[in-house]
Amino acid sequence: MAKQDDDFRKVISHAKEYGYVFQSSEIYDGLSAVYDYAQNGAELKKNIRDYWWSAMVQLNENIVGIDAAIFMHPTTWKASGHVDAFNDPLIDNKDSKKRYRADVLVEDYVAKIEAKIEKEVVKAAKRFGDAFDKEQFLSTNQRVVEYQEQAKTILERLGKSLEKEDLADVKKLIEELDIACPMSGSKNWTEVKQFNLMFGTKLGASADSAMDLYLRPETAQGIFVNFLNVQKTGRMKIPFGIAQTGKAFRNEIVARQFIFRMREFEQMEMQFFIKPGTQQEWYEKWKETRMKWHLSLGMGSENYRFHDHQKLAHYADAAADIEFRFPFGFKELEGIHSRTDFDLGSHEKYSGKKLQYFDPETRESYVPYVIETSIGLDRMFLSVFSNALQEEELENGTFRTVLRLPAVLAPTKAAVFPLVKKDGLPEIARNIIDDLKWDFNVLYDEKDAVGRRYRRQDANGTPFCITVDHQTVEDHTVTIRHRDSMEQKRVDISELRGIIHAEVDMKTWLQRMYDVSEN
Ligand code: GAP
């Protein structure tokens, strides 16, 4: 646990030191669970967004993108169920006065059981060496089987109690598990209560005429209310999808873990409209497609897993998370939800407008069913950034910090260095920048010895460093150094564009979606 905390602290401080993420309003001591993306962070975030948008919109003829407003008519949230059902079960500790999400307290308890299982697996793998069969171990080792059974029973009970809104049983479960306040160790708990997560605001100048609004807690509703407009103007035929990226706001009570859970965050969502009855098939298809998108980034298939929901949101008939191994363990990164016709049906009822699709083949109208894919951009950022940050021991026994970002996502693709600040070398380096900048984000650096400049760019995640030296003046060649292998090659200046392009080109990365397997 301590190592995990330490690794995570390093991620947060590296994000600050290298201009990726800052605490919001830091000069006023910051605002809790609100963060700003700095010069490199904004680029990384944009690249992730583009990678998602290209995979979802550009590569799918039947998916289009929109950009709906954050403010929406307040009835939207009544229809969507958020006014009545977008709640978290909260519990206060009477001694420490700290407030917690009751379900998170239980889930954290289960995470500790899972950590014990993981520990047994690691121990056994060491003991049995090559002969170790993880599946067999998980299903036969008495202690591990008991741990798994225990975790399953707890989660099932939590799921059922939440589903039935039996908050008294959630409290009972916390007491039975003997869960203590993580701050004070006290077990003196209040009752569990529901708390709505939407932020309210007002539209209009005068107090009498001002309208109560909510900041949207998900981007999806902007898609639902535009369903018919897009279908008609885009002449879309079912099955088709509408995608969008944008800010969402939630008054998270337990906002923690850096940018994992924030109050203002960005989502990348896609609603896929289908014929009723085909939802199972499309749900499986989108689970698989989205997993392939993740795997295409090469961050290790062992770092992802599916988690099927026991407790379903008010709109869903099936739901799964794609979980990622964050520095603090496996947690939700993306959700895939079968939302039935709940949203469109409800908007029909509240608006009095028909939100139906006329099928030209059967000549019937129906309210489409929806499969949703929903990923938090900030969480995706954290998965990419935390996975990339590595301390590496070199052959000479020294260490380097390297940010092995997937090259397609790296904020800066190449840094260009003149070996010295004289003899015409800076001018040549500047000319290289002027040429490459039309295709890539590149930067110039002449400060410090070249070795230190390499280390700076390694830590910054820059895939290539290009050094201009005295030989360049003679023969127009430079050295290009690769961040991950640290290999250096002498190449002609005219080859640089091709070398960088081959490594960072989005097409090559996205094509891996069609080759990668989940194993
Ligand atoms: N439209 C469905 C929906 O919003 P969700 O599971 O509540 O579903 C989807 O959210 C994704 O949005 C999550 O998987 C997560 O990546 C991201 N997300 C949700 N709440 C967040 C928060 N407070 N901070 C950062 N990301 C969040």
Side-chain angles (χ1 to χ4, degrees), residues 100-377:
Y100 299 95
R101 260 179 65 177
D103 53 337
V104 172
L105 283 179
V106 176
E107 279 164 10
D108 285 350
Y109 182 90
V110 171
K112 284 187 193 140
I113 301 175
E114 285 169 348
K116 285 186 197 163
I117 298 174
E118 193 66 30
K119 220 167 149 185
E120 294 291 336
V121 168
V122 172
K123 255 179 17 199
K126 241 190 218 160
R127 191 157 14 105
F128 294 113
D130 286 347
F132 182 62
D133 179 340
K134 186 173 171 188
E135 291 309 313
Q136 195 191 355
F137 179 75
L138 288 175
S139 58
T140 53
N141 180 282
Q142 184 64 25
R143 190 178 305 163
V144 167
V145 169
E146 273 171 29
Y147 283 149
Q148 290 179 100
E149 205 42 53
Q150 198 187 353
K152 188 163 159 251
T153 311
I154 295 171
L155 286 179
E156 272 174 6
R157 172 151 163 216
L158 176 70
K160 277 197 194 122
S161 308
L162 290 173
E163 188 137 11
K164 286 190 296 188
E165 295 253 343
D166 186 353
L167 300 181
D169 192 57
V170 178
K171 179 174 181 199
K172 212 161 138 218
L173 181 60
I174 289 173
E175 286 171 343
E176 282 173 23
L177 296 175
D178 213 22
I179 295 174
C181 165
M183 296 296 284
S184 63
S186 151
K187 293 171 191 164
N188 192 6
W189 297 108
T190 62
E191 298 307 308
V192 179
K193 286 197 206 95
Q194 293 289 18
F195 176 88
N196 194 287
L197 296 181
M198 283 196 294
F199 278 107
T201 184
K202 288 197 183 293
L203 184 83
S206 82
D208 310 338
S209 63
M211 191 183 203
D212 287 320
L213 292 186
Y214 294 107
L215 298 182
R216 65 181 179 193
E218 63 170 8
T219 60
Q221 297 305 323
I223 294 178
F224 289 122
V225 300
N226 280 296
F227 157 74
L228 212 53
N229 282 341
V230 174
Q231 191 270 318
K232 290 220 148 69
T233 55
R235 291 179 292 126
M236 309 299 290
K237 287 208 168 63
I238 277 185
F240 74 91
I242 305 178
Q244 80 166 325
T245 70
K247 291 272 179 147
F249 304 83
R250 294 183 189 177
N251 197 1
E252 298 282 3
I253 297 311
V254 188
R256 56 175 185 179
Q257 290 163 326
F258 192 37
I259 54 172
F260 180 81
R261 194 179 302 285
M262 305 203 286
R263 301 212 158 94
E264 173 183 341
F265 58 101
E266 190 165 336
Q267 289 186 314
M268 307 191 285
E269 299 200 301
M270 192 276 301
Q271 312 296 320
F272 199 70
F273 299 93
I274 55 173
K275 199 169 172 172
T278 62
Q279 65 269 30
Q280 184 61 28
E281 174 196 332
W282 282 110
Y283 173 64
E284 295 301 335
K285 172 105 181 52
W286 276 109
K287 271 174 77 174
E288 187 191 335
T289 306
R290 291 304 303 147
M291 183 60 100
K292 285 186 170 170
W293 180 83
H294 287 284
L295 296 178
S296 73
L297 286 168
M299 301 199 302
S301 57
E302 70 284 4
N303 291 323
Y304 299 89
R305 69 182 187 193
F306 282 113
H307 166 74
D308 294 315
H309 281 209
Q310 306 280 341
K311 180 193 178 238
L312 295 172
H314 58 275
Y315 49 71
D317 72 355
D321 296 335
I322 293 177
E323 293 188 339
F324 182 76
R325 196 197 298 266
F326 287 96
F328 37 81
F330 271 104
K331 293 273 178 216
E332 173 186 349
L333 171 58
E334 168 157 11
I336 294 107
H337 311 126
S338 174
R339 290 183 81 129
T340 68
D341 58 356
F342 173 84
D343 302 86
L344 288 180
S346 188
H347 285 304
E348 264 202 336
K349 211 164 75 198
Y350 277 86
S351 68
K353 309 269 168 29
K354 264 198 156 152
L355 295 175
Q356 302 196 358
Y357 175 75
F358 175 71
D359 187 329
E361 274 161 29
T362 61
R363 309 202 59 76
E364 276 170 3
S365 292
Y366 58 83
V367 178
Y369 269 41
V370 170
I371 304 297
E372 165 184 74
T373 72
S374 175
I375 175 167
L377 176 47

